[in-house]
Amino acid sequence: MVPFAYFTIIVTSIFILISSLPPPSAAAPTGHQRQPPFKKIYAFGDSFTDTGNTGSATGPSGFSHVSSLPYGCTFFHRPTNRYSDGRLVIDFVAQYLSLPFLPPYRRHKAGPDSTSPGVNFAVAGSTAIKHSFFVRNNLTLNITPQSLGTQLVWFDKYMEAQGYCRAPRSRQCRAAMDEALFWVGEIGANDYAYTVGSSVSRDTIQRLAIKSVTGFLQALLTKGAKYVVVQGLPTTGCLPLSLTLTPADDRDALGCAATVNRQSFRHNLLLQSTIHQLRTQFPHSVILYADYWNAYRTIMKNAAAYGFQEPIKACCGSGGGPYNFDIFGACGSPLSSSCPDPSKYINWDGVHLTEAMYKAVSELFINGTFSHPPFKYLLSRKASAGGLS
């Protein structure tokens, strides 16, 4: 039997599968407003939000994953560096706000560009905690050294290159921050994944991850961010990856890995407490919490009502069985195959979700009751500040 620690190293690499194709051209906006309420979106996070910031690399078996079909097969009909068969939550948010898809930072042309709809700084495999922590504890392959701190540095460089915030508190800088939506995608799942089977406790990771996210949000708000959305962790215990690595008796009422879901739930409680404190500290900003955990759980409990026939099994994978997931035959490998209709599946490759699931989640954030305060409240605050004509 392969040692569990070795499984951990291979599994974490799945979170940092990397591709090299250029980003797709901007899609025609499909939002509901006649004029976009925001001129730009700045997005941060990990592979659930990444639209192409990771460079070229191969998976544990030597093959390239998301740079090849079936990744991207549903909407773009070609690989686009997204870890799904199609669009992500951030893509649906951009379309709802009548903006094109966000270009990834690493492939965004250098120099001033007033026509850009914003930038996506999210990186697959990114952690909330600084990469050096994992290096010191021998918990990483050093493939993806980026963290939220890295993304903040990229954001600062971008804003300076655009000429917006060379003087941080200038009128031009404030105007640039006022016209943007800051979308902080879920972050922290990789922090926990890196430490599975190690001597580093979950409590330590939770404390350090929340501290890092808090510092990151404080930095954005101090710079002048006025409209911020922060996603919590989803029910990561419902991913085939988690179900494969946990004992069969570690299951909750949804049939998901109970310990993993409890871990994400506790993380989210602390994150919400942090957001509450930040609202007090920055009363002129709107800080919205997007409840990924309960949105995902609601869909799982009513899968058929959302059009899903397979709530747990991976659409693209190998091995069959209840999860169709094998870490040695991941999606895109010669051993894998994909289902004929990803829209019937919640899970795409055992670690990431299908476009259909991302769409369902985004609709619960935008039009449902899983954003606190509601997303429409954020839009009304922007409109009252002169964001809409």
Side-chain angles (χ1 to χ4, degrees):
M1 183 175 180
V2 180
F4 189 74
Y6 181 62
F7 268 101
T8 302
I9 292 174
I10 296 176
V11 166
T12 56
S13 69
I14 297 176
F15 281 89
I16 52 177
L17 301 177
I18 300 172
S19 60
S20 59
L21 293 182
S25 58
T30 60
H32 301 282
Q33 293 80 18
R34 294 173 57 188
Q35 180 177 330
F38 296 98
K39 293 183 179 180
K40 298 179 185 292
I41 302 174
Y42 298 120
F44 309 85
D46 59 18
S47 57
F48 274 42
T49 307
D50 184 7
T51 57
N53 275 312
T54 41
S56 299
T58 55
S61 300
F63 56 86
S64 179
H65 292 259
V66 295
S67 61
S68 305
L69 289 170
Y71 284 91
C73 63
T74 294
F75 181 80
F76 303 101
H77 307 298
R78 63 184 179 88
T80 64
N81 301 324
R82 288 164 172 79
Y83 294 75
S84 180
D85 60 304
R87 291 163 290 182
L88 313 178
V89 168
I90 190 61
D91 296 314
F92 289 108
V93 170
Q95 289 184 293
Y96 178 83
L97 296 176
S98 299
L99 290 172
F101 297 139
L102 302 184
Y105 170 74
R106 282 179 162 177
R107 301 184 186 279
H108 191 276
K109 66 180 182 179
D113 180 10
S114 61
T115 64
S116 171
V119 180
N120 191 327
F121 299 94
V123 188
S126 185
T127 54
I129 304 169
K130 288 184 178 180
H131 183 68
S132 58
F133 169 84
F134 300 98
V135 173
R136 287 197 306 272
N137 287 278
N138 196 30
L139 293 171
T140 177
L141 295 176
N142 291 321
I143 294 177
T144 304
Q146 289 79 26
S147 66
L148 265 181
T150 307
Q151 295 176 40
L152 185 62
V153 170
W154 287 353
F155 171 74
D156 289 341
K157 289 181 177 179
Y158 171 80
M159 295 297 280
E160 290 178 9
Q162 299 303 307
Y164 293 143
C165 294
R166 290 171 183 168
R169 297 188 180 276
S170 67
R171 179 179 299 178
Q172 187 177 26
C173 185
R174 291 199 305 271
M177 302 294 277
D178 287 352
E179 70 183 10
L181 174 66
F182 290 81
W183 188 277
V184 184
E186 73 94 18
I187 188 77
N190 291 325
D191 299 71
Y192 292 105
Y194 277 132
T195 55
V196 172
S198 76
S199 60
V200 178
S201 71
R202 294 175 180 174
D203 288 343
T204 296
I205 292 299
Q206 182 180 85
R207 176 176 55 82
L208 294 177
I210 293 296
K211 181 180 179 180
S212 295
V213 174
T214 301
F216 174 80
L217 292 173
Q218 284 177 325
L220 288 181
L221 292 161
T222 299
K223 293 176 189 296
K226 288 189 65 176
Y227 308 98
V228 183
V229 176
V230 184
Q231 288 183 264
L233 296 183
T235 51
T236 48
C238 295
L239 299 174
L241 166 67
S242 299
L243 290 162
T244 300
L245 294 178
T246 52
D249 60 354
D250 180 22
R251 298 293 181 262
D252 58 19
L254 295 177
C256 302
T259 55
V260 180
N261 274 348
R262 285 196 298 268
Q263 170 185 283
S264 296
F265 182 78
R266 288 193 296 267
H267 178 101
N268 290 338
L269 286 179
L270 289 176
L271 178 60
Q272 291 174 77
S273 177
T274 288
I275 291 173
H276 177 72
Q277 294 170 15
L278 290 173
R279 288 178 183 138
T280 302
Q281 186 179 353
F282 299 92
H284 298 296
S285 296
V286 180
I287 309 172
L288 185 152
Y289 175 69
D291 190 351
Y292 215 142
W293 199 92
N294 277 307
Y296 196 129
R297 181 178 175 83
T298 295
I299 296 170
M300 282 287 294
K301 291 172 66 176
N302 304 277
Y306 288 91
F308 296 115
Q309 297 177 0
E310 290 287 354
I312 289 180
K313 182 181 292 186
C315 167
C316 182
S318 62
Y323 311 130
N324 190 37
F325 180 76
D326 184 340
I327 59 176
F328 297 107
C331 180
S333 74
L335 298 176
S336 70
S337 61
S338 60
C339 63
D341 188 358
S343 70
K344 303 299 182 184
Y345 287 67
I346 286 178
N347 285 283
W348 166 243
D349 58 9
V351 181
H352 308 98
L353 310 178
T354 60
E355 175 183 280
M357 181 57 171
Y358 285 127
K359 181 179 181 181
V361 169
S362 67
E363 289 177 348
L364 290 180
F365 289 160
I366 294 170
N367 296 312
T369 60
F370 294 90
S371 290
H372 313 291
F375 195 77
K376 284 182 169 54
Y377 170 79
L378 182 146
L379 294 181
S380 68
R381 282 285 299 270
K382 183 65 173 69
S384 65
L388 293 176
S389 60

